[in-house]
Amino acid sequence: MSVFCYALGETAIELWGVPAKERLRRLIEEIGGVQWTTDRDRIGADDRVLLVRADYLFEARTLKTLLEQPGRVLRCPTDGRLAAALVQGRRLSELLPVLETGAAELPADLEVIEPADLSAFDGYLRRSEPPLLEPVSAARRAALEDELYGNAYKGITDLVTKWLWPAPAKRMVRLCARLGVTPNAVTVTGVLLMLAAGVAFAHGHYLTGLAAGWVMTFLDTVDGKLARVTVRSSLIGHLLDHGMDLLHPPFWYVFWGLSLQGLTPILGLGTIELSWIIVIGYVVGRAAEGAFQLLGDVSIFTWRPFDAYFRLVTARRNPCLILLTAFTLIGRPDWAFVAVAAWTAGTTAVLALRLAQGALARWRHGPLESWLRDAEAAQRDHAHAFQTFASTRGAYVRR
């Protein structure tokens, strides 16, 4: 038995420069395990077929979740029309008129659901909101593009990515989409800037390195959002982007420290000792993040509201760049280096403590879950945190 996706309906409206059916095809390719077809004759009676209206806007997890629920029909709450269904191939002729015109009556044995009935929690993007499903119209084109952009954001991330980059990054994403610039091209540009920043830090050209570093972090936001709104993610782009993010920060800081002349030891700790604190702290922190995922379907930053707030400032690249920039601007690059070492040590200690607390909770109560998984309870018990971290569309959509 095979699983096919067959799109019906059409719209000439392109979102982020991508035609409607091409967007659907890319989504299906991203999900995997489903064959895209425009030929109904390929679909056998015993095959499973996902019928999708091309004049509606979906996200990958909307379709992915529906693919796990055979015999269900997805209704759009905005206009009340049926937008997708998962049925056996033998029922294709029976369902097509229902979705195409609504003229035929829906068979009684099929259950109608809406996005609110699907899982709201998105562990990858660390947020909790119903999957996207909206009709595409010319009047709402700009708003839908804004929703797609906001929908590409993680709910829980560092303070720079969450509050500084969204508006300028959206303008850059729009420009890249209009010019046909690929996400991988943006990523490669970021890699070159990352290398340039490291060389500049090593030679004591701190402001030059910081400029390259800040542009690189900005492009690090742009490439991911461009990939999501155009559905152009690739394995090589994913590996390059995340590999770069994972590896380069401690090298930046060590190069910075080694370029300093005559650093006065702090508590008996000189450049070499502080460099080791940074490297070991960074590795231990990342290891704690990885180990925490073994405790349940949760990351170390989505377990409790405290962890979401802590992610805003933990010693990842962007918070550390704030420290480097602030102290360099007052003429103390040596203090900048010491500050990064101290912040790395302090936040790593917090991560290690949270890992220990999580392990204890796992032993006592079973696998851990995110506080965002139960949206109703999270909104009731942690209203401010829920408003801050649960949704991304509301934060980045143009009103």
Side-chain angles (χ1 to χ4, degrees):
M1 181 187 72
S2 300
V3 183
F4 290 91
C5 178
Y6 182 79
L8 56 144
E10 186 56 274
T11 175
I13 300 166
E14 297 183 358
L15 300 178
W16 293 104
V18 183
K21 284 193 175 179
E22 175 61 18
R23 175 177 295 277
L24 279 173
R25 188 195 65 77
R26 293 178 188 178
L27 285 174
I28 292 300
E29 184 178 294
E30 182 178 287
I31 292 170
V34 181
Q35 300 179 52
W36 174 267
T37 184
T38 58
D39 182 5
R40 290 173 51 184
D41 294 335
R42 287 188 60 198
I43 304 171
D46 294 326
D47 290 330
R48 189 171 290 177
V49 56
L50 177 66
L51 295 172
V52 185
R53 287 189 60 103
D55 51 353
Y56 281 77
L57 177 60
F58 300 82
E59 62 177 305
R61 68 186 179 117
T62 315
L63 300 176
K64 187 175 182 180
T65 308
L66 183 60
L67 281 165
E68 300 168 355
Q69 306 189 41
R72 291 190 169 184
V73 182
L74 188 61
R75 179 172 56 203
C76 177
T78 304
D79 61 6
R81 297 186 63 180
L82 303 178
L86 182 64
V87 294
Q88 285 186 304
R90 63 172 55 92
R91 306 193 69 171
L92 185 59
S93 298
E94 183 183 10
L95 264 293
L96 279 175
V98 179
L99 268 68
E100 283 178 336
T101 65
E105 192 168 328
L106 183 69
D109 63 321
L110 297 180
E111 181 182 356
V112 177
I113 60 173
E114 295 188 353
D117 299 315
L118 304 175
S119 175
F121 180 65
D122 186 338
Y124 178 73
L125 291 178
R126 303 170 186 165
R127 63 178 190 223
S128 180
E129 55 188 345
L132 179 64
L133 173 59
E134 290 203 35
V136 177
S137 66
R140 292 219 359 110
R141 176 179 175 178
L144 292 175
E145 288 188 339
D146 285 343
E147 285 198 26
L148 278 172
Y149 177 76
N151 208 39
Y153 253 87
K154 287 183 177 179
I156 299 172
T157 186
D158 68 86
L159 73 171
V160 175
T161 303
K162 189 167 185 67
W163 289 311
L164 181 61
W165 288 155
K170 183 166 71 171
R171 288 191 285 271
M172 180 60 73
V173 168
R174 192 175 300 280
L175 178 62
C176 290
R178 185 180 299 124
L179 297 177
V181 177
T182 66
N184 284 352
V186 178
T187 301
V188 170
T189 303
V191 170
L192 296 176
L193 287 168
M194 177 266 291
L195 295 172
V199 171
F201 293 153
H203 288 84
H205 304 308
Y206 305 117
L207 290 177
T208 300
L210 286 169
W214 278 115
V215 175
M216 176 260 173
T217 69
F218 174 68
L219 294 182
D220 189 38
T221 290
V222 171
D223 62 3
K225 307 307 170 285
L226 178 62
R228 292 192 184 103
V229 300
T230 59
V231 200
R232 292 293 296 269
S233 298
S234 67
L235 178 60
I236 188 169
H238 181 81
L239 292 175
L240 189 60
D241 184 34
H242 289 275
M244 173 180 65
D245 288 347
L246 181 66
L247 295 175
H248 79 270
F251 289 98
W252 273 7
Y253 313 143
V254 170
F255 290 159
W256 184 296
L258 294 177
S259 72
L260 295 169
Q261 301 295 323
L263 176 69
T264 302
I266 305 294
L267 300 177
L269 302 174
T271 299
I272 300 302
E273 292 80 10
L274 291 173
S275 295
W276 276 114
I277 288 174
I278 290 173
V279 172
I280 293 173
Y282 182 81
V283 171
V284 170
R286 285 290 194 167
E289 293 176 30
F292 200 92
Q293 296 182 31
L294 301 176
L295 304 179
D297 186 18
V298 64
S299 81
I300 200 168
F301 299 117
T302 62
W303 183 31
R304 294 290 182 264
F306 166 82
D307 305 303
Y309 284 111
F310 185 65
R311 177 63 181 89
L312 294 171
V313 297
T314 194
R316 290 284 193 90
R317 180 190 60 218
N318 289 351
C320 287
L321 271 178
I322 292 175
L323 293 175
L324 293 174
T325 303
F327 283 108
T328 299
L329 290 177
I330 64 172
R332 296 306 304 256
D334 53 338
W335 290 1
F337 178 62
V338 173
V340 168
W343 196 245
T344 300
T347 59
T348 299
V350 173
L351 291 175
L353 176 61
R354 294 303 282 167
L355 176 60
Q357 291 173 327
L360 181 60
R362 170 69 172 82
W363 177 66
R364 287 179 172 176
H365 308 294
L368 306 185
E369 289 188 348
S370 171
W371 64 285
L372 286 170
R373 185 168 292 279
D374 186 340
E376 184 176 339
Q379 192 167 17
R380 180 187 66 242
D381 300 335
H382 310 285
H384 184 271
F386 186 85
Q387 182 180 9
T388 302
F389 298 109
S391 173
T392 56
R393 283 180 222 152
Y396 309 120
V397 169
R398 178 174 53 201
R399 297 296 184 183

